[in-house]
Amino acid sequence: MSVQREFHTKWGMVIDLDKCTGCGACMVACQVENNIAPTPDASDMTRVLTWMLVYKLENKQKFPNYDVAYLPRPCMQCENPSCVPVCPVVATTKDEEGGIVSQIYPRCIGCRYCMAACPYHVRYFNWFDPQWPAGMEKTLTPFSSTRPRGVVEKCHFCHHRFMAAKEKARATGGEPMKLAEDAYIPACVEACPTGALIFGNLKDPTHQVAKLSHSKNAKRLLERLGGKPQVYYMSKRQWVLDMLDNDLGDGSHGGVTGGGNHG
Amino acid sequence: MAKAIDQALWPEGVERCSLTKFLLWLVVPALLMLWGLVAAGVVFWYGLGMTGLNNYFAFGLYITFDLAVIALGAGAFFTGLLRYILKIEALVPIVNLTVIVGFFCYSGAMLILTMELGQPLRSWFGFWHPNVHSMLTEVIFCISVYLSVLIIEYIPLVFEQKQLNKVPFLHHLAHNMHVVMPLFAGIGAFLSTFHQGSLGGMYGVMFARPFAYREGFFIWPWTFFLFVLSAVASGPCFTVLICTAIEKISGKRMVEYRVKSLMGKIAGTMLCIYLFFKFLDTWAWIDSILPAAGNSFDQMFNGLVYGKWLMFTELIVCGVIPAIMLVIPSVRKRESMLIIASLLNCVGVSLNRYIITVQALAVPVMPFDSWQVYVPAWTEWAPSFMVLAYGVIVISLSYRYLPVFPQERKLNYK
Amino acid sequence: MGRRAFIGLVVGGTAGTLLTPIPWKLTDDASIWSQNWPWIPRVPNGDFELKPSLSKLDNSGVGVNVVTVKGRPCAVYGNPEHPLSRGGISSLAVNEAELLYSPSRVQSPLKREGDSLIPISWDDAKALLAEKLKAAGSDVACVSGDDTGSGTDVFSAFVAAAGSKLCFYMPAEQVDAGRAWQRLGGQGMVGYDIENADMVLAIGADIFESWGTHVRNAQAFNKANPMGGEQAMRVVYASPIKNRGAAVADAWVPVLPGSEAALALGIAYHLIQGGATSGGPGFEAFRSAVRSGYSPEKVQQATGLTPEQVADLAKRLASAKRPLVIAGSSFGQGGGQNAVAAGLALNLLLGRLNKAGGIYALPEAPAVVQGSMPRRQILANDFVDYMLKVGAEQTKAPAVLLAYEANPAYALPQTELMAQALDKVGFLVSFSSFMDETAAMADLVLPTPLVMERTEDMYTPYGSGWVNYTVATPVIAPVFDAVPAADVLLQVASGLGHNLGFESFEDVVKAKAEALNAMGGFAAGAKAEPWKVRVGGGAPSSSGVSDAVQAGKAWVSMATVNASGLSLAKAAAGQAAAPAGGEFPLVLAPLFELNVGSSKVAIPPHNVSTIRDTEAANGHFFVRMNSATASKYGTGQGKQVTIASKTGSIKARVSIDEGVMDGVVAAPLGFGHTAWDKFAQNKGDNVSKVLTVASEPGVAAPFWAGSMVKIA
C-alpha cells in the first residue's frame, strides 16, 4: 500500500539542462526568500543547507571532447514520495491539492528517517541553531518561519507564493484552483537569468510544463525507483539524459522497483 | 575474612567480594558513564552538529549501536518465549539474566534514541501524532511498551532481594507477578518480534535506496523477518557471553554448562534458519532489486571503507562459521568454541546493522552523486560506551544483590 | 507518618497530578518552546510591498524590486518591467537586501591612527578631508569603480576644479571597449542589439556571466531559445575554458586567453577571402594588415585552432541572417583594445552597423555637473599605467587619492606591487560601503550608503543596445551612519570654493534626467520593449525622463550618434603570435564568476554555499587544468601547487577539469580576500597577484590577458 494520491492540480517544474549556466542565482534567491541562514564555510557540503542545489555533470571525456551540464535540484515533490510514509509523526505530508510535499517544522522530531529515505538529498537537517550576522536578521522575509536546530527542512516550491496566488485569485474573482501559468512561480524560477526553469500545473494543458513534460527530451531523475518526481529535466544531449538514471549500460534492464509497500 | 558491610543485602547463601573491591570494580564503568554524560550534555546543549552525522549520513553510530544492542538484547524476549510459553524448563537457570540484559539493552537504547532525536522534547509526538504508515512509529510504540514489559519482568526479581522480600506486600506482589509472567512474556514476545521486525522494515521500505530496499510479504519487506531471525539467533549468544563473563570475573559457575550449550544450540539453529533466508534475500537483491534500479552489485561497494569484505565478513566469517560451530554438538560442547562462535555471531549481527545503516546511506543513488565516508565523532562513541558501562553496572548490582542465578548456590557451595 | 501513609501520599500525589492539567500543559508547552526559543530570530508579520530600485553590485545594471515589510527590505527580485532584467537577476545582486547588514559594512567614518582605524564624526571627517584636499591643491587624483552613475561626474568635476586631470576608471571591460571604439573613430559608445541577433559569436566575452549587461544577455538567449520551441538564436562561445556560458552555447571553440583578437582577425581573413568588405574607410589598410599579420597559419599558432575551425566560424557568421560578434576579455578586464576592436571590425565586415541585431553608436550621457570630465577624457587616463609608474617612482604619487566604489588594493593586476604603489599615496580616502582591502589600508574611510539607501542613477551600462536611464530612490534610510559620497564631495567642494553647480546629488540626478529629455524616449515596460521598438514594432508614445524614472521605470531612447567616422584602419594592430613560452610556459585563464563576488564586492554571506568543494574548501581554493596539462607538469587532482608569474605567486590546489585547454591554468578570481568578513576570508588566494601587465601590441597600453605562469 502506498500513500499516493491523485490531485487535480500538480505543481511541477521543467528544467532545461541545455539552458542552465550554473550561475547559482536560483540557490541564493531561494536562501533569501526562505530565510536560510548563511554559512561562513561550505567546505563540508554535507552540512550545508541548500534547498536548491546546482550539481555539475560531466561527460567524462577528455579535452576537447569534454562536455558539462549543470543540474539545479529542488525538491522533486514526488508523486510517490519515499520520505512521507516513513515519517513517524506526520511532520511531512503530501495531502494538499497541488501535490507539494510539505514539512511541518513544529511537528518534526528530528529523527531524520525522511533524509535517509530520500535519494535526492533534498532534505536538510538543522545541525545547529541558525545564526545570522548581527543585524541581518532584520532582513528576514515574512514568507517562511525560521527553523530551530533539530528539525528537517526542505524545498516546498515556495508554498507561500501558492497561498498568496490563491488569495489574490479569490480577491479578484478568479479561480484559486485554476491559477494562470504566471500567477504562481517559486523564487528560483523567477530569478533564473537564462530561463532554465519553468513552473506550472502538470495537469493543465494550457501550462507549458504539461506539454514539455511529455517531450521526448524530458526525463525525471531516478525514474526507475518509482518516486515519480514532479520535476522534469530536459536536454537534447543524450549523455546528459543518461546521467539522470542508473542504467546497467545496455538499457535492457528496464522496469521500475516497487515502491512504498508498507502502511 | 572480615564481614562486608553490605552482606545483609546479598542473596541467600552466597559469597560476594568486599564492598571496596566491588566499588573499585565500578570505577571504570562509572568514568565511562561520566564521559558519556558529558557527550550527551554537549549534544543536547549545542545540537547534533557536534556529532559526525551529516545530511548524507542521517543515521550513524547512534542508530547502529541501538540496533545492535536491541538485537543482542533479544535474548530476553526469545528466552522468555521459550521458557514461559513453550515451557522449556531447562532455560529457567538463565532466564533472569536474559531479562536483565534485555532491560539494560533497551533502556540504554532509549537513552541513545533521545540523543539521536533533533528535538528530544518532542519525543512523545510519536504517540500523539502517530503516522500509522511508518515503520518507525511501530518501533517507537513497541520499544516503549516493551521496555515497560521488561521493567515489569525485572521488578519481581528486584522484590526478591533478601531484605525487600521481607516486606509481605512486595513478597506477594513478586509472587503474583511470577504467576502472570507468562502473559507478560507473551506480550513481550509479541512486541519484541514486531519492533525487531519494524527496525528491519525501516530499511526495507526505503524504496529509493537500492541498497536497503526489499520487497516482501504483505506489508512487510523481507528485512522485517530477517531482523527478527537475526536477533533471536544472536540474543541467546549474547546472554551466554555475559553469563560466561560473570563466571570468569567472579570465578564461580552460575549455570550448568548444558544450559549455555542449549542456548548455543538454540542460537545456532536460529542462525541457520536466518542465514538460509538471508542468502536467499541477498540473491534476490542482486538478481532482481538492483537491476530494476539500474544498479549493479559492484556499484554497491567502494574502496576499503565500503568494500565487499564487509559483506563477506558478515555472512561468512560471522555467519556461516558460527552457525556451523553452534549446530555441531561436539564443537558446541567445548566452552572455548562456544565462546568464539557466540562472539562471531554477535559481531555478525552488529556488522549487519552497521552495513544496512551506514553503507546504505553511503552508496550514491544519483549517478552523478559521490561516495561519502562517515566517521563517528567522540560524541557518538562516548554515549555508546556509556550504555555498555551502564550495562556493566546494572548487571554487577543485580548480580551482587539479587538472586539472579538459581543454580549459583548448588554449583558453588556444597 | 508511617510507611504506608508515605507510599499512599506518593502514589496518590502522582495519580492526582496526572489528573490535573499540569503535566499535559507542560508537555504541550514543550512543543511550543522547542519551536520558539528566544535566541532564534522571528520573522516579521505583515504584508509586503515591492519598491523599485537598482543593483550596481555587478555590471548587469538590473532594475530590481525590493521586497519590504513595514519599510524594511528583506529580499530583491529582478524587476520584470526593467529591460535589463526582465525578472532575471544575478547571483550577486539577489543579495542586495542582506548586504545592508553585511558584517563588512563600514558603520561610521574612520580615521587612520597608526595601525588602526578609529571612528570619528562626519563633521571631523569632512574637516579632515577638506584640510587634506586644501593642502594637496591640484595634487589630487580619483579612481572610480562606477562608469554609469553621475557620482563619478561629481568626482571628476571635483578633481578638475582642483586643477588635476587625474580621474580614472578602475580597469574593466567597458573601459577597454570604450577606448577601442574611440580608436576606430567611433563617437559616443557602442551598443549591441543582442535581442534581435540570430547568431551571437562571443569571442572571449563571457556574455552570460561577466560581460556587459549579462542578465539581459542571458534573457535574450532565454527568450530566443524557448524550451521545446523554435530556436531563434544560436550562440557560439570562444573561451579558454568550457565555462558556464559555453556550457549552454550551441558550440564551444577553445581559444587561448589573450588571443581573442587573433581569432577575430583570423575570421576576418576568411570573410575577406570570401569577398566581405566594410565598404567604409580604412578597409584597404585593414585588409592588408589582416593578410600579413593574421594568416591562417599565424592564427593557428596564436589560438591553437586549425584553419578549418576558424573558416567554419567565418562560414557560420556569413550564413547567419543577423549575426553579432561580441569580443572581449574572458574575465572582464585586462583584455586590451585589440580584441574589442577586432570584434567590432567583424561586425562592420558583416555589415552589422546600425542594423537590427547588430551594433549601434549610442550617445554618451549629457554632462550636467559643472566642469565634469567627459567619458572619453577619463578613458584616456589609465589607472594601471599610472599606478605602475607611481610604483616605479617614475611619477610622483598623488597627495590625495579618492577611491570611489573602487577596491584597487584587491582588484588590480600585480596586486602586491599595486598595493605598494597605493602605499605611496599621501592620503588615501576610501568612499566605500564595505571594509574592503582598500578601506583597510586607507587614511580616511567614508561610508557610502548602498544603492537601496540612497539616490543613485545609471546611464546605459556597457553592452546595452539602446540608451537607458534608471534612477533609484532610497528604499530605506541608511542603516549605518553613511552619507552618499557625491554629497560629501559637493559639500567639501563648496567649502574649498569650488563651484560644481549643485548642492546635493539628488539635484544632479534631477538635472541629468532633464538633460536627457532632449534625446526623446519612453518608459520601458513589458509592453514597451526597446528591442521591439528597435525593429519598428509598436513605438510607445514618448514620455519625459523624470516621470519615467520617478515611477521606478527604465527610460529608454533609440537615439544614436553619427557613426560615419568609423574606420577599420586601426582595427588590426600587431601580428598574431604564439604565447611566449620560456620560463613561464602556461597561460593563465582567470575566471570571473559572479557568485564569488566582483571587483567591488567580496563573497556575500549567502553565496558561500554556492561554492563547490571542488572550487574552494578548507581554506584553499582550486585552480583547474586538464589531465594532460597536469601530468605534463607533474601534478594532479587535489595536489597543492604554487602558481607563479613574473610578479607574484599564489597557492592553490589542483582540480582536474577537462574543459580547460591544453597548456592553460584556469583560476577563479574573487578569492583570497584579506579584509571583509569571515564569509569572504580564509578562502584561497587572489589570482590578481599573478596577473602580469604587459604592453598591448600595436596599442602600447596595459594588457594582462594571457598572463604567463609556471607551476613552482
Side-chain angles (χ1 to χ4, degrees):
Chain A
M1 264 180 286
S2 88
V3 291
Q4 207 174 322
R5 253 183 70 179
E6 271 303 318
F7 300 102
H8 298 296
T9 303
K10 216 165 75 181
W11 296 113
M13 213 181 266
V14 177
I15 301 177
D16 190 341
L17 301 179
D18 297 343
K19 285 177 90 173
C20 174
T21 66
C23 74
C26 53
M27 286 178 70
V28 186
C30 169
Q31 291 178 53
V32 168
E33 179 91 2
N34 293 300
N35 296 330
I36 294 174
T39 173
D41 186 287
S43 300
D44 181 4
M45 283 303 281
T46 62
R47 277 290 184 91
V48 179
L49 272 154
T50 49
W51 292 6
M52 175 58 123
L53 179 62
V54 181
Y55 284 87
K56 190 177 184 179
L57 275 50
E58 294 170 303
N59 70 345
K60 297 181 181 116
Q61 303 275 313
K62 294 216 183 290
F63 175 83
N65 299 317
Y66 169 86
D67 199 9
V68 61
Y70 295 94
L71 182 139
R73 191 241 45 209
C75 172
M76 301 288 127
Q77 318 290 358
C78 301
E79 260 179 64
N80 179 30
S82 54
C83 55
V84 168
V86 301
C87 176
V89 294
V90 207
T92 178
T93 62
K94 191 187 173 79
D95 52 8
E96 188 199 41
E97 191 57 42
I100 295 171
V101 176
S102 68
Q103 180 73 20
I104 306 152
Y105 314 127
R107 174 74 63 82
C108 176
I109 61 172
C111 72
R112 301 182 301 285
Y113 189 8
C114 55
M115 298 174 69
C118 173
Y120 305 104
H121 298 299
V122 308
R123 293 182 156 271
Y124 291 89
F125 188 68
N126 285 276
W127 297 100
F128 292 109
D129 277 319
Q131 274 192 321
W132 283 266
M136 204 179 278
E137 75 283 350
K138 291 183 186 135
T139 65
L140 289 175
T141 69
F143 306 134
S144 196
S145 61
T146 46
R147 285 78 64 185
R149 75 162 183 242
V151 302
V152 170
E153 57 183 68
K154 66 179 275 292
C155 155
H156 46 57
F157 275 177
C158 288
H159 185 261
H160 51 276
R161 292 185 175 211
F162 180 31
M163 306 298 273
K166 281 195 285 191
E167 207 159 293
K168 193 173 168 190
R170 273 185 216 107
T172 53
E175 280 187 65
M177 293 325 290
K178 262 194 116 147
L179 293 174
E181 195 166 23
D182 54 355
Y184 158 42
I185 54 169
C188 55
V189 177
E190 184 180 63
C192 180
T194 53
L197 295 78
I198 57 168
F199 186 78
N201 178 2
L202 290 165
K203 285 205 160 170
D204 184 338
T206 66
H207 287 202
Q208 272 196 80
V209 289
K211 195 182 77 190
L212 290 172
S213 63
H214 293 109
S215 153
K216 67 174 171 32
N217 294 327
K219 201 174 157 184
R220 291 178 288 184
L221 197 46
L222 299 176
E223 228 160 70
R224 283 164 197 276
L225 299 186
K228 299 185 193 164
Q230 284 171 209
V231 174
Y232 289 79
Y233 291 96
M234 279 180 72
S235 178
K236 291 190 181 111
R237 292 174 280 182
Q238 191 56 44
W239 75 265
V240 174
L241 292 178
D242 288 346
M243 280 285 230
L244 299 179
D245 208 345
N246 290 299
D247 190 324
L248 290 175
D250 53 6
S252 64
H253 295 270
V256 169
T257 66
N261 53 356
H262 182 65
Chain B
M1 205 174 104
K3 267 179 90 175
I5 45 173
D6 61 344
Q7 196 179 26
L9 302 173
W10 296 349
E12 202 58 52
V14 297
E15 283 295 326
R16 294 289 182 259
C17 65
S18 76
L19 186 61
T20 321
K21 201 170 167 189
F22 181 68
L23 290 177
L24 279 174
W25 155 256
L26 290 182
V27 166
V28 173
L31 287 177
L32 279 173
M33 277 210 67
L34 203 64
W35 188 43
L37 287 174
V38 169
V42 165
V43 169
F44 282 131
W45 187 256
Y46 295 104
L48 279 159
M50 301 307 291
T51 64
L53 298 167
N54 58 43
N55 293 328
Y56 273 65
F57 295 101
F59 297 159
L61 183 59
Y62 285 162
I63 292 282
T64 304
F65 184 80
D66 273 347
L67 293 179
V69 294
I70 284 177
L72 297 173
F77 93 83
F78 189 55
T79 318
L81 177 82
L82 298 177
R83 151 79 177 83
Y84 289 107
I85 312 291
L86 299 182
K87 310 278 185 204
I88 301 181
E89 295 296 329
L91 293 171
V92 171
I94 204 162
V95 82
N96 283 340
L97 180 63
T98 65
V99 167
I100 298 169
V101 171
F103 170 77
F104 102 72
C105 283
Y106 276 78
S107 51
M110 288 291 273
L111 212 67
I112 303 250
L113 267 181
T114 339
M115 293 185 61
E116 211 270 337
L117 286 187
Q119 289 281 352
L121 288 179
R122 301 177 185 172
S123 43
W124 52 279
F125 280 19
F127 295 96
W128 204 242
H129 310 285
N131 173 15
V132 294
H133 301 286
S134 175
M135 283 283 177
L136 191 54
T137 308
E138 237 168 83
V139 171
I140 294 174
F141 264 70
C142 294
I143 293 195
S144 320
V145 180
Y146 181 53
L147 182 58
S148 318
V149 171
L150 277 171
I151 292 170
I152 291 169
E153 290 182 341
Y154 189 27
I155 283 175
L157 188 62
V158 175
F159 289 166
E160 280 168 8
Q161 197 271 336
K162 200 163 65 188
Q163 298 301 328
L164 289 179
N165 211 29
K166 286 179 185 160
V167 180
F169 172 70
L170 297 182
H171 174 82
H172 292 301
L173 187 62
H175 177 75
N176 284 319
M177 284 178 89
H178 270 302
V179 172
V180 293
M181 206 44 75
L183 173 67
F184 285 107
I187 295 173
F190 174 80
L191 289 170
S192 198
T193 311
F194 260 86
H195 79 248
Q196 292 285 359
S198 307
L199 282 171
M202 271 181 71
Y203 296 93
V205 296
M206 298 200 299
F207 63 85
R209 292 280 189 181
F211 189 91
Y213 174 61
R214 295 295 188 277
E215 281 157 336
F217 170 73
F218 190 41
I219 60 168
W220 297 290
W222 295 126
T223 43
F224 184 97
F225 306 101
L226 291 174
F227 263 53
V228 178
L229 285 173
S230 58
V232 299
S234 58
C237 277
F238 189 57
T239 314
V240 168
L241 284 176
I242 290 188
C243 181
T244 310
I246 296 173
E247 291 178 339
K248 297 284 170 206
I249 292 162
S250 65
K252 288 175 264 190
R253 290 209 73 82
M254 296 299 152
V255 294
E256 289 163 304
Y257 186 74
R258 61 179 184 85
V259 178
K260 288 200 268 181
S261 177
L262 175 60
M263 291 286 273
K265 182 180 170 187
I266 293 167
T269 315
M270 296 314 295
L271 191 56
C272 288
I273 298 170
Y274 163 67
L275 284 172
F276 173 76
F277 286 107
K278 176 71 182 174
F279 278 108
L280 213 59
D281 169 77
T282 307
W283 171 75
W285 175 63
I286 297 168
D287 188 62
S288 119
I289 297 211
L290 287 180
N295 286 117
S296 68
F297 181 64
D298 286 344
Q299 282 176 334
M300 298 293 113
F301 303 91
N302 183 51
L304 181 65
V305 184
Y306 298 114
K308 287 185 186 138
W309 66 271
L310 275 171
M311 188 172 266
F312 176 79
T313 311
E314 178 207 331
L315 294 181
I316 308 297
V317 180
C318 298
V320 175
I321 291 176
I324 293 171
M325 289 171 77
L326 289 171
V327 289
I328 299 175
S330 60
V331 180
R332 192 172 67 222
K333 296 246 154 80
R334 288 172 59 192
E335 186 161 22
S336 58
M337 286 296 131
L338 179 65
I339 290 168
I340 291 172
S342 296
L343 267 176
L344 287 176
N345 188 356
C346 293
V347 170
V349 77
S350 307
L351 197 55
N352 170 267
R353 301 309 194 249
Y354 167 78
I355 292 172
I356 204 160
T357 303
V358 173
Q359 180 134 2
L361 300 179
V363 181
V365 186
M366 292 186 288
F368 46 85
D369 207 351
S370 55
W371 283 84
Q372 302 287 332
V373 175
Y374 163 67
V375 185
W378 73 273
T379 43
E380 292 164 271
W381 289 114
S384 306
F385 285 114
M386 171 175 77
V387 170
L388 295 181
Y390 160 73
V392 170
I393 293 172
V394 168
I395 290 172
S396 300
L397 286 171
S398 300
Y399 166 71
R400 188 172 176 87
Y401 298 119
L402 305 180
V404 176
F405 297 103
Q407 290 181 327
E408 187 184 353
R409 256 168 96 177
K410 184 180 84 186
L411 291 173
N412 300 286
Y413 312 97
K414 297 286 152 60
Chain C
M1 192 167 75
R3 193 163 55 208
R4 275 174 182 281
F6 177 73
I7 292 171
L9 190 70
V10 170
V11 172
T14 311
T17 313
L18 284 173
L19 288 173
T20 68
I22 296 168
W24 312 106
K25 174 73 181 143
L26 284 175
T27 320
D28 187 45
D29 279 0
S31 63
I32 299 171
W33 295 335
S34 57
Q35 184 60 22
N36 293 309
W37 296 119
W39 57 85
I40 295 170
R42 299 268 78 82
V43 302
N45 280 320
D47 291 334
F48 69 91
E49 282 181 87
L50 293 179
K51 293 182 180 165
S53 183
L54 185 61
S55 175
K56 291 182 98 173
L57 293 177
D58 57 53
N59 291 328
S60 63
V62 291
V64 297
N65 281 326
V66 181
V67 183
T68 62
V69 178
K70 293 175 182 158
R72 222 182 239 175
C74 54
V76 293
Y77 301 149
N79 180 351
E81 298 277 312
H82 196 277
L84 298 180
S85 160
R86 291 208 251 177
I89 192 163
S90 77
S91 56
L92 197 53
V94 73
N95 275 292
E96 194 80 61
E98 281 60 38
L99 284 175
L100 284 171
Y101 295 95
S102 157
S104 290
R105 283 212 62 181
V106 184
Q107 305 195 359
S108 75
L110 302 168
K111 182 178 81 167
R112 176 151 305 279
E113 237 168 57
D115 283 341
S116 52
L117 288 163
I118 55 159
I120 51 170
S121 72
W122 268 107
D123 286 341
D124 291 348
K126 284 177 196 163
L128 179 62
L129 180 61
E131 176 201 321
K132 292 289 177 183
L133 284 167
K134 193 167 180 183
S138 66
D139 192 9
V140 56
C142 83
V143 58
S144 166
D146 176 35
D147 72 323
T148 59
S150 302
T152 301
D153 294 350
V154 175
F155 273 82
S156 75
F158 181 89
V159 169
S164 164
K165 289 178 179 167
L166 299 176
C167 182
F168 303 92
Y169 288 129
M170 277 292 282
E173 186 69 47
Q174 52 268 36
V175 173
D176 285 327
R179 291 171 182 158
W181 179 246
Q182 282 171 25
R183 196 165 111 225
L184 299 196
Q187 298 288 315
M189 40 207 275
V190 61
Y192 297 80
D193 184 18
I194 297 168
E195 288 87 349
N196 290 312
D198 71 345
M199 181 202 167
V200 174
L201 170 61
I203 302 178
D206 193 356
I207 56 172
F208 296 154
E209 187 74 22
S210 64
W211 181 90
T213 50
H214 48 86
V215 170
R216 164 215 169 218
N217 308 344
Q219 287 285 24
F221 161 80
N222 169 23
K223 307 290 178 195
N225 285 275
M227 261 188 235
E230 201 70 27
Q231 188 177 20
M233 178 203 288
R234 276 162 217 285
V235 176
V236 177
Y237 245 73
S239 52
I241 172 166
K242 187 140 192 168
N243 57 20
R244 292 171 174 178
V248 300
D250 294 275
W252 170 52
V253 184
V255 60
L256 285 172
S259 70
E260 292 88 358
L263 174 59
L265 295 170
I267 295 170
Y269 177 93
H270 290 285
L271 288 175
I272 291 170
Q273 292 302 94
T277 166
S278 76
F283 176 71
E284 291 303 324
F286 178 70
R287 179 167 62 185
S288 67
V290 167
R291 280 189 176 153
S292 67
Y294 296 90
S295 64
E297 301 72 42
K298 283 186 177 162
V299 168
Q300 182 167 16
Q301 281 177 5
T303 62
L305 292 171
T306 64
E308 292 73 38
Q309 284 175 297
V310 181
D312 178 61
L313 287 174
K315 215 167 88 189
R316 278 176 186 246
L317 282 173
S319 60
K321 281 202 187 97
R322 296 182 307 279
L324 176 66
V325 179
I326 302 176
S329 164
S330 57
F331 58 107
Q333 52 162 288
Q337 302 170 29
N338 285 339
V340 185
L344 293 170
L346 276 180
N347 285 310
L348 294 176
L349 280 182
L350 292 161
R352 307 297 300 139
L353 177 64
N354 289 334
K355 295 271 175 61
I359 57 171
Y360 287 88
L362 308 177
E364 275 179 25
V368 294
V369 184
Q370 227 167 72
S372 68
M373 298 182 198
R375 183 184 172 82
R376 68 176 43 235
Q377 191 183 334
I378 305 178
L379 286 176
N381 297 333
D382 190 291
F383 193 56
V384 169
D385 185 50
Y386 175 68
M387 291 310 286
L388 281 176
K389 285 179 176 149
V390 168
E393 302 194 335
Q394 292 164 5
T395 298
K396 196 181 105 35
V400 177
L401 175 64
L402 309 172
Y404 171 56
E405 309 251 299
N407 186 10
Y410 173 82
L412 291 181
Q414 309 185 169
T415 317
E416 280 153 332
L417 290 174
M418 291 297 186
Q420 285 168 23
L422 274 177
D423 231 10
K424 295 184 200 285
V425 169
F427 192 73
L428 176 61
V429 186
S430 170
F431 292 86
S432 175
S433 303
F434 302 105
M435 185 45 75
D436 57 21
E437 284 77 3
T438 306
M441 70 180 292
D443 299 294
L444 182 62
V445 185
L446 300 174
T448 56
L450 290 182
V451 171
M452 218 176 271
E453 303 165 309
R454 70 185 198 225
T455 297
E456 179 60 39
D457 66 343
M458 178 188 70
Y459 176 82
T460 320
Y462 175 58
S464 169
W466 10 266
V467 164
N468 59 80
Y469 188 61
T470 312
V471 172
T473 50
V475 173
I476 183 177
V479 300
F480 297 115
D481 192 10
V483 177
D487 283 332
V488 176
L489 213 58
L490 287 170
Q491 285 172 35
V492 171
S494 72
L496 293 172
H498 305 320
N499 181 15
L500 306 184
F502 292 95
E503 306 245 306
S504 79
F505 185 64
E506 231 181 290
D507 294 339
V508 174
V509 172
K510 274 185 195 147
K512 193 151 213 172
E514 283 306 312
L516 280 168
N517 269 322
M519 281 190 204
F522 56 91
K527 291 196 177 83
E529 298 177 316
W531 46 92
K532 287 194 180 146
V533 179
R534 193 52 109 192
V535 292
S541 54
S542 78
S543 65
V545 185
S546 301
D547 293 344
V549 298
Q550 280 301 316
K553 297 194 168 210
W555 175 84
V556 165
S557 166
M558 293 296 128
T560 54
V561 292
N562 190 341
S564 60
L566 277 175
S567 161
L568 285 183
K570 292 183 186 164
Q575 295 251 330
E583 197 197 335
F584 301 98
L586 290 159
V587 185
L588 179 71
L591 284 166
F592 183 167
E593 294 181 330
L594 272 173
N595 59 315
V596 290
S598 64
S599 56
K600 278 191 236 179
V601 195
I603 310 165
H606 280 91
N607 285 39
V608 174
S609 61
T610 65
I611 301 169
R612 290 187 181 80
D613 54 10
T614 51
E615 294 168 346
N618 306 317
H620 52 256
F621 80 142
F622 290 84
V623 295
R624 310 181 205 172
M625 59 187 83
N626 70 29
S627 53
T629 311
S631 63
K632 188 171 170 189
Y633 293 93
T635 184
Q637 181 67 40
K639 296 254 173 73
Q640 191 149 7
V641 288
T642 301
I643 305 287
S645 73
K646 246 186 267 180
T647 57
S649 68
I650 51 171
K651 282 198 168 29
R653 278 171 199 253
V654 173
S655 171
I656 298 298
D657 184 341
E658 298 294 345
V660 183
M661 287 178 73
D662 286 335
V664 171
V665 180
L669 294 162
F671 290 100
H673 280 284
T674 53
W676 299 88
D677 48 43
K678 63 178 176 181
F679 296 95
Q681 284 171 0
N682 287 324
K683 291 179 178 68
D685 216 335
N686 182 2
V687 176
S688 294
K689 285 190 208 165
V690 287
L691 293 172
T692 315
V693 180
S695 178
E696 189 176 16
V699 183
F703 169 78
W704 56 93
S707 295
M708 304 299 290
V709 295
K710 66 177 176 186
I711 295 175

